[in-house]
Amino acid sequence: MRFQLLGPLALADGPDTVVLQPSKPANLLAALLLNANSTVSAGYLQRAVWGEEQPATAKAALQTCVLRLRRLFAKHGVTGTAIEAVPGGYRIVAGPPTLDLLAYRDQVRRATAMDRDPEAELYTLRDALSLWQGALLANVRSAVLHRDEVPRLAEERLRVVERVCDLLLGLGRCGEALVDLWTATRVYPGHERFHEQLIEALYRSGRQSQALAEYRRVKDFLREELGVDPSPSLRRLELSILRGEDLGPVGQAALAASAPGQAAPVVAASGEAVGSGSASGEVVGSGSAAGAVVSRVVRGETVPQPDAETPGSEPAPAPGPDPVPAPDPATIPTLVTAPIPTSARAPVTAPAPAPVTVPPGAATGAPSAAGACAPSADAGVGPVPGVPHFTGRAAEAEAMAARLTAPPPTGPADHRALAVVVSGAPGIGKSALAQHVARQVGDAFPAGRLLVRMTRADGEPRTADEVAAALADALGATGEGRALLILDDVVDADQVRPLLTLGGPPGTGPGLAVVVTSRMGLGGLIATHGGWVQRLTAFTEAESYGLLLAALGAERVEAEPDAAHRLTAVCGHFPAALRILTARLLTRPGLRLADAVDWLGDDPLARLTLTDSPGHSVTGLFDRALDRLDPRLSQAFTHLAQGPPELLADGGPEHEGPVPEAVREQLADAGLLEDGPPGPYRIHGLLRAHVRRTALIRDRRTEKV
């Protein structure tokens, strides 16, 4: 049994998760877990449970809450973790295996020790960030905890996100960093460090105009909303871009600037290092120069005096109009190039770039090759993350696990058999199933499990050559024994076939099990390499209900079972829609499910989106899938979705004319048509509604023109 704090407060046992309902005992449990292994005073616990104005019976009621928690532990079989009454208060004992917050901090500490290996540090930090499961303590209604604890945890996560982006920039993987930075800058527009990283990533990727546009956007925001100018480091970066200067490689000092835990951390009463970060990604910045210095000490940075001459510090800007004054280092908590003694870090092993001469004031239109990030180097290889609230697919998961753990196949060295191809419609849960099973069978793969994203964030597929190069490094760093590889979101068979032959990456063959996820059926790949196909369809009614139970908690769902079933029906039992729905409901724990049915039913397509993350939406998912289609197939699918169901039949209505079987087969292979009945094919209700809605909006725009 495991406690989950990095998201809604929950108890997890393997794939089964129980999200606690908002209550006084839940407030108490959260307060104890946030200070695990330390004595928490009864006075603080009373404030955490009831707020600053406590009832006269608060002391006795606190003991009752403790008893209720102990009964809850016994009910769910919690062992090895107990609430102890100690002089002055209570204490709960936990460790990394039983509390995700401690596991997260343990992962971050291990990553800090990997400063000589940026790739390993990056993978470890990303694995740590995968433990954050959603809005932090969304089901805990304690004003004290949200005031005192959530900002501290938010800052803890923020520093790791900054470090990950710095590592990506330092490794030349700007395209990968852009994925996180676009979201971070839009959600937290006042956080200048993220903007600085984003502008640098754009410029290094050869997108000078976008970098300058982003600088102007953040400059306008800071002046209009906060009444301040951009930081000196941002202004210097703008000046370098205007001049077309070479930024040079991201040096070791820059990478070290955001490394968490390099010096003795500030220790809280709980015995844990004080940091920051929120499951929701909430950002809390420093409020003063003194706070900036403290935040840098927590991250392990050396804070030099303003006039200190430190090796590796940023040179003064070249002469030019309106020079920017040098900043006081103590007032800039997140400066990328913050000076740090070079002896404290590992030496830079990358070769120095060739010198580039740029005339003062010359604008080249793009950064030089020495300072550029090649998008092709962004291979997207990393550890397999966990899947929150995974449910359903029991038979599929069991069958996949059996296939993956079976003895490796034998055969010609250049004719390797795939383990599993997981295919189906966009948003049907292919990646979630593959990742869930990979975590389940981890013991069978001592050399590790890797997730390879075969498509970039902009929808462009990665080439087999660049993926093979990244895999050669990643597999070379794994241990002995078998490894498991998930090739996620494969576009076609040709993209992955070179990775599965004798000329593929080291380890390809009997020592490597492979799972491929794709919207396409990949029949050609199965024909040439063998393997087993798992085609996913929408959830059954029972699986949809089970997902609501796992995500929202039994108490909330079972209180309104009819409304819960109606919600799953409105979502069409579509996994992506259900995930978005449960995320929205978790952020509104007081909303009745019956009210949610009416609210969602009015316009499900518009409301199946996350307002703080617009990329997570059903409409966006369908749009990206349709954009991948050949224009002729897209036109044919639009015709099918707008017409009557009989269009999907072999003959079709006489007045409409039949749609060729070859076209329907291609659309089915792309995951856009499901198996019937009625007839051989059908279109999912949400997808049909989306196509019709899009066509209606397009027609209205045309009419206005």
Side-chain angles (χ1 to χ4, degrees):
M1 187 64 68
R2 179 183 180 88
F3 293 97
Q4 293 183 347
L5 264 180
L6 305 181
L9 181 61
L11 298 176
D13 185 8
D16 300 323
T17 303
V18 177
V19 178
L20 303 184
Q21 290 296 303
S23 64
K24 298 296 189 294
N27 293 357
L28 173 62
L29 179 59
L32 290 170
L33 290 174
L34 287 166
N35 300 276
N37 304 316
S38 298
T39 299
V40 187
S41 69
Y44 179 79
L45 292 175
Q46 290 171 20
R47 291 196 302 275
V49 174
W50 286 280
E52 301 297 343
E53 297 182 3
Q54 304 161 27
T57 59
K59 185 175 182 179
L62 182 65
Q63 297 174 351
T64 302
C65 288
V66 172
L67 290 176
R68 290 177 62 184
L69 286 178
R70 288 171 176 165
R71 293 193 193 103
L72 178 69
F73 291 177
K75 175 183 176 182
H76 292 286
V78 177
T79 58
T81 302
I83 300 176
E84 303 172 349
V86 295
Y90 293 89
R91 177 177 61 198
I92 192 167
V93 179
T98 56
L99 178 58
D100 59 357
L101 176 60
L102 298 184
Y104 169 78
R105 288 171 173 166
D106 185 62
Q107 285 275 76
V108 173
R109 280 192 289 267
R110 290 199 301 109
T112 301
M114 300 175 181
D115 58 334
R116 293 179 181 271
D117 188 348
E119 286 281 1
E121 183 182 359
L122 176 63
Y123 294 157
T124 305
L125 289 177
R126 281 188 157 173
D127 201 30
L129 288 172
S130 70
L131 295 173
W132 296 77
Q133 302 292 320
L136 187 67
L137 301 183
N139 55 338
V140 175
R141 296 177 179 173
S142 169
V144 170
L145 294 182
H146 282 277
R147 180 195 66 199
D148 298 341
E149 300 289 350
V150 168
R152 176 169 64 86
L153 292 176
E155 187 69 15
E156 200 166 333
R157 180 181 183 273
L158 168 64
R159 296 308 178 197
V160 174
V161 174
E162 287 181 1
R163 176 63 175 169
V164 165
C165 292
D166 276 335
L167 286 169
L168 290 170
L169 290 174
L171 292 168
R173 291 155 63 173
C174 294
E176 206 169 328
L178 285 171
V179 177
D180 297 327
L181 290 170
W182 279 122
T183 300
T185 53
R186 270 51 185 172
V187 176
Y188 315 113
H191 189 74
E192 292 185 68
R193 179 68 188 104
F194 283 143
H195 287 286
E196 187 176 340
Q197 290 173 315
L198 174 60
I199 293 168
E200 182 178 349
L202 287 169
Y203 183 57
R204 289 180 180 275
S205 301
R207 297 153 73 173
Q208 183 186 35
S209 60
Q210 282 185 269
L212 290 172
E214 181 63 22
Y215 175 82
R216 288 192 292 269
R217 197 187 70 81
V218 66
K219 178 181 178 181
D220 291 342
F221 172 84
L222 292 172
R223 285 183 172 177
E224 294 173 7
E225 299 295 330
L226 304 178
V228 298
D229 288 323
S231 66
S233 57
L234 265 175
R235 299 203 300 271
R236 282 201 307 275
L237 182 58
E238 182 211 19
L239 191 60
S240 296
I241 296 173
L242 288 171
R243 292 173 173 171
E245 295 175 348
D246 172 25
L247 298 182
V250 180
Q252 196 71 14
L255 288 180
S258 65
Q262 291 296 327
V266 178
V267 178
S270 63
E272 294 294 336
V274 175
S276 37
S278 141
S280 61
E282 189 171 358
V283 173
V284 180
S286 302
S288 66
V293 175
V294 171
S295 69
R296 294 180 65 183
V297 172
V298 171
R299 289 185 289 155
E301 297 178 27
T302 299
V303 185
Q305 297 301 318
D307 57 350
E309 191 78 30
T310 308
S313 61
E314 184 173 313
D322 300 324
V324 181
D328 179 353
T331 63
I332 307 176
T334 56
L335 186 61
V336 171
T337 52
I340 181 170
T342 54
S343 60
R345 306 294 297 181
V348 180
T349 57
V356 179
T357 302
V358 181
T364 63
S368 69
C373 288
S376 60
D378 174 18
V381 180
V384 178
V387 182
H389 310 310
F390 186 88
T391 188
R393 311 290 193 202
E396 294 91 338
E398 183 178 357
M400 281 182 62
R403 293 273 178 175
L404 292 173
T405 55
T410 59
D414 61 347
H415 202 76
R416 308 299 187 193
L418 293 172
V420 182
V421 171
V422 185
S423 61
I428 208 66
K430 303 178 292 295
S431 300
L433 176 62
Q435 293 169 24
H436 173 71
V437 172
R439 304 272 290 201
Q440 281 190 320
V441 300
D443 293 342
F445 298 95
R449 296 152 292 169
L450 292 175
L451 175 67
V452 184
R453 303 197 184 277
M454 301 295 290
T455 306
R456 297 190 183 91
D458 59 4
E460 288 298 313
R462 292 184 168 90
T463 65
D465 289 342
E466 66 182 274
V467 173
L471 282 177
D473 295 335
L475 291 172
T478 59
E480 297 296 327
R482 297 186 75 197
L484 175 62
L485 194 66
I486 299 177
L487 304 180
D488 189 46
D489 200 13
V490 169
V491 174
D492 55 38
D494 290 337
Q495 186 190 22
V496 70
R497 192 176 282 118
L499 303 174
L500 305 169
T501 62
L502 185 60
T508 301
L512 190 71
V514 180
V515 176
V516 171
T517 74
S518 178
R519 298 172 187 176
M520 308 300 293
L522 300 183
L525 189 64
I526 298 299
T528 57
H529 285 70
W532 178 71
V533 178
Q534 178 63 66
R535 183 83 173 181
L536 299 184
T537 59
F539 274 161
T540 64
E541 186 173 351
E543 286 175 325
S544 298
Y545 190 79
L547 177 57
L548 292 191
L549 285 173
L552 302 179
E555 295 183 22
R556 186 175 183 184
V557 174
E558 292 177 352
E560 300 178 83
D562 292 340
H565 282 293
R566 294 202 305 274
L567 276 176
T568 63
V570 173
C571 291
H573 306 292
F574 198 70
L578 290 167
R579 288 284 182 188
I580 293 170
L581 171 68
T582 55
R584 295 206 67 171
L585 291 177
L586 280 171
T587 64
R588 302 179 65 183
L591 180 66
R592 294 176 61 250
L593 299 189
D595 295 333
V597 173
D598 298 333
W599 164 77
L600 181 63
D602 288 342
D603 193 351
L605 288 173
R607 288 169 180 168
L608 285 173
T609 185
L610 300 181
T611 55
D612 63 341
S613 182
H616 290 83
S617 69
V618 170
T619 57
L621 178 71
F622 290 156
D623 281 336
R624 290 189 292 273
L626 294 171
D627 286 344
R628 283 194 191 180
L629 286 180
D630 178 275
R632 290 172 295 179
L633 281 179
S634 179
Q635 185 177 5
F637 182 72
T638 301
H639 176 61
L640 288 171
Q642 290 184 278
E646 292 77 17
L647 272 179
L648 295 169
D650 289 332
E654 293 182 2
H655 65 282
E656 292 281 358
V659 175
E661 182 180 358
V663 172
R664 287 178 285 148
E665 281 289 333
Q666 287 179 283
L667 292 171
D669 192 56
L672 298 176
L673 296 184
E674 302 175 342
D675 294 337
Y681 305 107
R682 60 187 171 87
I683 300 176
H684 191 278
L686 284 178
L687 183 53
R688 184 186 289 274
H690 171 70
V691 173
R692 291 178 172 177
R693 176 192 180 102
T694 303
L696 182 61
I697 293 173
R698 184 183 62 245
D699 292 343
R700 286 176 178 172
R701 288 175 178 170
T702 303
E703 289 172 5
K704 288 181 180 180
V705 173

